[in-house]
Amino acid sequence: MLLPVFPVMLSAMCIAAVQDGRIYIERLNAPFLFTLKGSGSEFGAGLAYAIRQGWLWKHESGTYVKLMAPGEDPLTKA
């Protein structure tokens, strides 16, 4: 898989968020690994890139992410 961030972000935008806009990691991980046949390291790299770019915010527990609005400060996200 050439650019793993695109499938990760596409999945995040298509998955219906639950309470407070949470998207559980397994809801992103399963389609990436089993449908797209990506590897765990590709998923991790795509997720890390999306977080560094400010597109996703990951909870400290690592169990869910949230989509960030353009210009939103990740330090104020809770």
Side-chain angles (χ1 to χ4, degrees):
M1 188 161 289
L2 193 55
L3 297 170
V5 70
F6 295 119
V8 170
M9 285 304 298
L10 183 60
S11 295
M13 291 185 291
C14 293
I15 292 172
V18 293
Q19 69 184 74
D20 268 349
R22 297 176 183 185
I23 302 169
Y24 292 107
I25 288 290
E26 58 268 15
R27 297 290 311 266
L28 293 175
N29 196 346
F32 186 88
L33 296 176
F34 301 112
T35 304
L36 298 174
K37 306 295 185 205
S39 70
S41 60
E42 289 172 325
F43 177 77
L47 186 62
Y49 183 79
I51 292 167
R52 279 194 312 272
Q53 294 299 313
W55 301 332
L56 290 177
W57 173 85
K58 184 170 76 169
H59 187 262
E60 61 190 22
S61 67
T63 58
Y64 67 88
V65 296
K66 291 183 180 184
L67 286 171
M68 299 290 291
E72 189 173 1
D73 182 6
L75 297 177
T76 62
K77 199 78 164 170

